[in-house]
Amino acid sequence: MAGAGFQTLSTTLCSLEAMKNWIGVTGVDSTDDSVLALMADAATAEIEQEPSWVFVQRTLSATFDGNAKNKQALPWPQVQSLSVFTIGGTTQPSANYVLDTRTGIVTFTSGDFTEGVQNVVVTALVGFDLQD
């Protein structure tokens, strides 16, 4: 039930166990687990929607326009790493750029973000390493 249009508990700000402890549910009673999971998913989605930040680490992808400059902000701050980074279909080697993991800004040490429409593709591990 928790997967129907919602995130899983692995990408929420609070674990099921922490929620149950907070509301005083003890033991192995799983009667309301699916409802609690939906509540955690909905709360996380609402919190992350406003500031465009991702608090719980997960892998996300984005495609956006190149700006013809040597520096460009990715769609998210707190980018831990890039697993895919292409411009115009060409993979960018990590030796050619520096990723500021706090701000999500990529700066080329040589070259630039070739100007184009939807020509930059990234897949990144984003967010903080926290839960509970």
Side-chain angles (χ1 to χ4, degrees):
M1 184 173 174
F6 290 91
Q7 303 166 37
T8 64
L9 278 175
S10 65
T11 57
T12 61
L13 291 171
C14 183
S15 70
L16 182 59
E17 192 175 318
M19 286 185 71
K20 290 171 98 172
N21 286 336
W22 189 75
I23 62 174
V25 174
T26 59
V28 292
D29 182 10
S30 61
T31 307
D32 296 320
D33 284 3
S34 62
V35 173
L36 292 172
L38 287 173
M39 291 170 63
D41 293 340
T44 299
E46 186 67 25
I47 290 167
E48 290 183 341
Q49 178 180 349
E50 282 304 311
S52 298
W53 278 51
V54 177
F55 289 95
V56 180
Q57 275 190 1
R58 66 188 69 138
T59 301
L60 297 175
S61 297
T63 302
F64 52 93
D65 298 345
N67 64 5
K69 298 179 181 175
N70 76 326
K71 187 180 287 192
Q72 188 156 344
L74 298 177
W76 328 272
Q78 286 305 125
V79 177
Q80 302 304 317
S81 62
L82 299 178
S83 57
V84 173
F85 179 21
T86 64
I87 300 177
T90 303
T91 299
Q92 302 302 307
S94 60
N96 290 358
Y97 63 87
V98 175
L99 170 64
D100 184 329
T101 58
R102 186 180 56 80
T103 63
I105 293 175
V106 175
T107 304
F108 274 98
T109 54
S110 63
D112 62 25
F113 284 88
T114 305
E115 188 171 13
V117 177
Q118 301 292 290
N119 63 326
V120 179
V121 176
V122 294
T123 298
L125 178 63
V126 301
F128 300 92
D129 185 17
L130 54 89
Q131 188 178 47
D132 299 333

